[in-house]
Amino acid sequence: MRKHPVRKFFGLTLLYSVVIIGIFIIQFKSNSVFSKSLGSLSFSIVKLQSENNKTILKNQIRVSFNGIIFSADDKNPVTAKDIKGTVIPLALESYEEASDSVEFSFTYGARITFRQSYDKDNMPLLSIAAVPPANCNEIFLPYKISQNFSTESISPANILVTAKDEMFSFTSHSFSGGKIAFTKNDSVAKYSHYNLTRKFTFESAAGLKGTTDAEIKELCTKLRYSLVEKVQSAISQAKIDSLSETDVTAYVAELASQGKYNQAIDSIPDSFKKGNKRTYISSPFFDNLVAMSRSLSIQTEKYASLVQSNSAEVFTVEGISDYILREKKSSAVRKLIQSVSGLQKFSAFQAAGIISVYADLKEKDSQLVLPLEAVLENCTNSIQESCKLENEAIKVQKDEENFTDVYETVFIGNALQKLGKLQKNISMTQAGNLIVYSSLSETDASIRTIANIYPLIVKDNFFYPHTEILGWYGNTCVWAWTCAKSISYIHNPSTTSNIIIDFPLGLTHYVIFNGIPNFHGKIEIQSQMFRTDPRFETYNSSGYVYQAPSRLLFIKSRHKSKIELIRLFLDSPLIFESTADPSVMSVIPPAPSAPEPKPEEPSPEKTEAAPETQPEVEIQP
């Protein structure tokens, strides 16, 4: 061989070629790559030839679609996470293709389906649906971006994939470590063309900080404590004059929710309680009901005047939902709802008002607000078009140059929260949460700001004065202005009106009842017959005053029990349409015949009360 180097060279070349070709033939015989394109969607798998000539699948998939590649193998497999948090690798078992999709099945019953469809602009759209194993909550699919494409994270659940002349939006439950995640409740990802001119949608908020109810609750808790601290600081510095009635009302309601009702009442100086800042709003805490009722009558007249305007702006007025329900049998209210249901354009604030009234009244009287359903989509679109997502926060545009103020922004977010939960629309609810969170999380809100939004962000605090609608005598609504947990009004028998008030034991509050028919002084409180007395609020007991012309009943309710029963004895049966839950009937004992009060005997309030010249002394709970 040494003497024939040329012969040696050709011999070795031939040998190596035979070996390489042999290896290639063997490999090709045992492994075959199957590829197919379904429009813009293409996939490939590897089939193996086993020793008994059966075909099995290698644990290897590759799916590509417009710049994104999904690939998995033994080194980087599809995985799942069980309920204990253990990560489990999954192996490919089979696949099934259709004209527009391919589905891969993995061990433990997991499945991932890739499907191509087309959007409204006839652009290809990829949707990926994943089913994790039965004992797992999540499944993870590896992905990577093709060369000449780049990514930009918009949120934990949304990224943009861009090339020189194209842009795609990729949304999923979450993206992390080169994998997209799916859960049982959030099992679909979408990859579609992204139009730079496309405006904000509720889905854009998905996954951002501030979209969950827990985050909103945490933020609201901070604001509630901040309100208490700031009001207490103002009071301690003798700056009560700097506080509005709304500030004081929110402060008392908040402390009351913490079990400090009497402490809150006592902490407010007499200069406020007896001053000229007060209206009906704070009357459930601070008495003076008869005088305060005048401002309540004025407010009712304002509502009536506003309703006559038939404007969408009416729906943004605080308390308008209750007024609409109170006056639902009037032609003015029906005309307002019909008029607004025919409008096409709204500001974001007006749209939120309509949504809010609809959500408030849907379960109380669905027929009343049925016409508003015709404009709900226009309303939500108006809000979407006014929103901007910047730095993972939402701002609401009021006009070309200005954004909405804090109150209007929270009002808009609150409306979306309510409608989203009513319609079980997660994206809408999350967008509403983020609007509220964005407007409040980065600022040190003032007392006035927190107090103004308090009824919007603290919906479960019954201590905040509110309207309780009790029913109707014909077209006349019976309703109460109160801070009680609940009030029911039931006839049993038909000549006896039973008022059932739920409020903490040992505490005192005041109620203005509207629409009460004349009972001619025949009233029973705490199982005793009472007589009217203009000084009823000064006694250390319950009491009342009734004004027959206006059908107003003023009650001081000092609770010797959590559930207090007040009976009104009427001269004749009256037809009453109650809103009360029938279950409250169980708390009503049989009604006795109504004895006439004895004029010569002292009234129970004077028997229980401290001397008339002595101010009331509250009993601490």
Side-chain angles (χ1 to χ4, degrees):
M1 293 289 291
R2 294 178 181 176
K3 296 180 180 180
H4 306 282
V6 175
R7 190 188 309 172
K8 176 181 177 182
F9 171 78
F10 283 107
L12 290 175
T13 300
L14 178 62
L15 176 63
Y16 291 152
S17 298
V18 170
V19 171
I20 291 172
I21 292 172
I23 292 173
F24 177 78
I25 292 173
I26 295 172
Q27 181 72 17
F28 183 79
K29 183 179 180 181
S30 59
N31 289 5
S32 61
V33 177
F34 176 80
S35 300
K36 190 167 185 179
S37 294
L38 306 172
S40 299
L41 172 67
S42 62
F43 71 94
S44 64
I45 55 173
V46 178
K47 298 180 179 180
L48 302 177
Q49 194 77 28
S50 64
E51 293 181 357
N52 54 5
N53 290 325
K54 289 186 177 181
T55 301
I56 59 175
L57 297 179
K58 187 177 181 180
N59 185 30
Q60 181 176 318
I61 64 169
R62 178 185 171 90
V63 179
S64 61
F65 182 89
N66 288 343
I68 192 165
I69 300 170
F70 306 92
S71 60
D73 53 30
D74 290 329
K75 292 183 179 180
N76 189 23
V78 174
T79 57
K81 185 182 292 185
D82 65 17
I83 56 177
K84 296 181 180 179
T86 304
V87 176
I88 302 170
L90 305 177
L92 180 66
E93 290 188 334
S94 63
Y95 79 100
E96 183 176 346
E97 64 174 289
S99 60
D100 62 350
S101 66
V102 58
E103 179 179 273
F104 299 100
S105 297
F106 299 85
T107 46
Y108 309 112
R111 301 191 309 277
I112 300 178
T113 303
F114 298 84
R115 185 181 304 277
Q116 178 184 266
S117 57
Y118 294 88
D119 62 20
K120 63 181 180 180
D121 297 321
N122 203 34
M123 301 297 289
L125 164 70
L126 175 67
S127 61
I128 310 164
V131 178
N135 64 334
C136 296
N137 295 323
E138 295 179 279
I139 186 170
F140 303 91
L141 172 66
Y143 78 96
K144 60 184 178 180
I145 304 301
S146 301
Q147 291 183 350
N148 301 323
F149 283 78
S150 60
T151 62
E152 176 186 350
S153 177
I154 300 299
S155 75
N158 184 214
I159 62 174
L160 292 182
V161 179
T162 60
K164 183 178 180 180
D165 55 356
E166 289 184 295
M167 182 174 291
F168 301 90
S169 174
F170 193 13
T171 60
S172 181
H173 176 73
S174 66
F175 299 86
S176 179
K179 294 187 177 184
I180 60 173
F182 303 85
T183 68
K184 289 183 177 179
N185 295 327
D186 195 359
S187 60
V188 177
K190 290 187 177 180
Y191 185 82
S192 60
H193 276 82
Y194 182 82
N195 186 348
L196 283 173
T197 62
R198 186 176 66 181
K199 296 185 178 180
F200 170 86
T201 63
F202 296 141
E203 288 76 11
S204 305
L208 292 176
K209 182 178 181 181
T211 56
T212 67
D213 290 345
E215 288 168 319
I216 293 296
K217 183 177 180 180
E218 181 181 359
L219 175 61
C220 291
T221 298
K222 292 179 181 178
L223 291 171
R224 294 168 74 168
Y225 281 107
S226 175
L227 172 70
V228 171
E229 291 174 0
K230 290 178 178 181
V231 172
Q232 287 178 338
S233 175
I235 293 173
S236 66
Q237 298 176 42
K239 295 181 179 179
I240 189 66
D241 289 342
S242 68
L243 300 177
S244 70
E245 183 181 33
T246 303
D247 302 338
V248 173
T249 300
Y251 163 76
V252 173
E254 178 52 35
L255 273 186
S257 72
Q258 300 175 24
K260 302 173 182 177
Y261 181 81
N262 283 341
Q263 177 183 327
I265 300 291
D266 294 341
S267 69
I268 303 302
D270 285 343
S271 61
F272 175 84
K273 296 177 182 177
K274 299 176 181 179
N276 58 12
K277 285 186 176 181
R278 288 202 42 217
T279 68
Y280 73 94
I281 292 174
S282 60
S283 60
F285 300 141
F286 302 125
D287 66 47
N288 207 10
L289 296 181
V290 176
M292 295 300 103
S293 69
R294 298 180 191 128
S295 61
L296 179 56
S297 298
I298 292 172
Q299 182 60 52
T300 298
E301 292 171 1
K302 288 181 179 178
Y303 284 139
S305 177
L306 287 168
V307 166
Q308 294 287 344
S309 70
N310 293 322
S311 167
E313 198 70 25
V314 177
F315 289 78
T316 66
V317 177
E318 185 177 356
I320 196 64
S321 291
D322 291 327
Y323 179 81
I324 288 174
L325 188 58
R326 278 160 40 192
E327 301 297 325
K328 69 175 186 176
K329 299 186 179 184
S330 72
S331 59
V333 163
R334 293 196 298 270
K335 185 178 179 181
L336 169 68
I337 292 175
Q338 288 292 345
S339 298
V340 172
S341 67
L343 299 178
Q344 297 297 320
K345 292 184 178 181
F346 313 93
S347 69
F349 190 42
Q350 292 171 338
I354 294 170
I355 290 171
S356 186
V357 169
Y358 174 82
D360 288 342
L361 303 185
K362 171 65 176 176
E363 294 183 358
K364 296 176 181 177
D365 193 329
S366 59
Q367 288 301 311
L368 175 64
V369 293
L370 181 61
L372 296 181
E373 293 183 359
V375 294
L376 286 182
E377 185 175 355
N378 284 345
C379 289
T380 54
N381 287 341
S382 294
I383 294 176
Q384 281 191 132
E385 292 168 1
S386 300
C387 289
K388 284 189 174 182
L389 185 62
E390 296 179 356
N391 299 321
E392 301 190 352
I394 296 177
K395 293 182 178 181
V396 184
Q397 199 91 32
K398 189 170 188 176
D399 51 45
E400 292 183 0
E401 297 181 356
N402 302 299
F403 292 101
T404 53
D405 60 28
V406 173
Y407 176 82
E408 291 184 355
T409 305
V410 173
F411 183 86
I412 292 167
N414 178 64
L416 290 179
Q417 290 171 336
K418 290 191 289 189
L419 184 61
K421 290 178 180 179
L422 181 65
Q423 297 182 341
K424 298 181 180 179
N425 186 323
I426 296 175
S427 296
M428 187 182 297
T429 304
Q430 289 182 337
N433 284 344
L434 185 56
I435 290 173
V436 173
Y437 192 88
S438 300
S439 65
L440 297 174
S441 60
E442 297 182 358
T443 60
D444 182 17
S446 66
I447 295 174
R448 192 64 40 83
T449 296
I450 303 174
N452 286 341
I453 66 173
Y454 190 90
L456 299 176
I457 64 174
V458 187
K459 304 179 183 71
D460 57 352
N461 185 3
F462 64 83
F463 285 104
Y464 195 90
H466 57 278
T467 296
E468 195 82 18
I469 296 175
L470 308 175
W472 290 265
Y473 287 109
N475 292 333
T476 301
C477 184
V478 179
W479 58 281
W481 182 252
T482 181
C483 64
K485 182 176 182 180
S486 68
I487 300 179
S488 300
Y489 185 90
I490 297 171
H491 279 266
N492 183 33
S494 59
T495 55
T496 303
S497 300
N498 299 277
I499 301 173
I500 302 102
I501 304 176
D502 186 347
F503 198 71
L505 174 66
L507 300 183
T508 298
H509 64 110
Y510 305 85
V511 189
I512 301 175
F513 288 94
N514 298 260
I516 301 293
N518 198 335
F519 51 92
H520 301 290
K522 293 178 288 186
I523 181 172
E524 181 185 276
I525 303 174
Q526 296 168 349
S527 301
Q528 297 186 74
M529 298 303 294
F530 270 64
R531 285 180 296 199
T532 186
D533 189 328
R535 298 167 297 175
F536 75 103
E537 292 169 315
T538 66
Y539 298 140
N540 198 23
S541 67
S542 296
Y544 84 99
V545 159
Y546 178 69
Q547 294 179 346
S550 57
R551 302 182 73 171
L552 289 173
L553 172 63
F554 307 99
I555 291 286
K556 175 183 179 180
S557 185
R558 179 168 190 161
H559 281 245
K560 291 184 176 180
S561 61
K562 181 176 181 291
I563 305 295
E564 290 282 13
L565 172 62
I566 299 172
R567 280 195 169 103
L568 311 177
F569 300 98
L570 309 177
D571 294 335
S572 59
L574 293 175
I575 298 175
F576 182 68
E577 176 190 346
S578 177
T579 61
D581 185 334
S583 64
V584 302
M585 293 287 289
S586 61
V587 306
I588 306 175
S593 58
E596 293 291 338
K598 299 178 180 180
E600 68 276 8
E601 295 180 358
S603 65
E605 44 279 52
K606 292 183 180 180
T607 302
E608 280 185 57
E612 296 178 21
T613 57
Q614 181 175 330
E616 175 188 358
V617 178
E618 287 280 8
I619 298 175
Q620 297 291 330

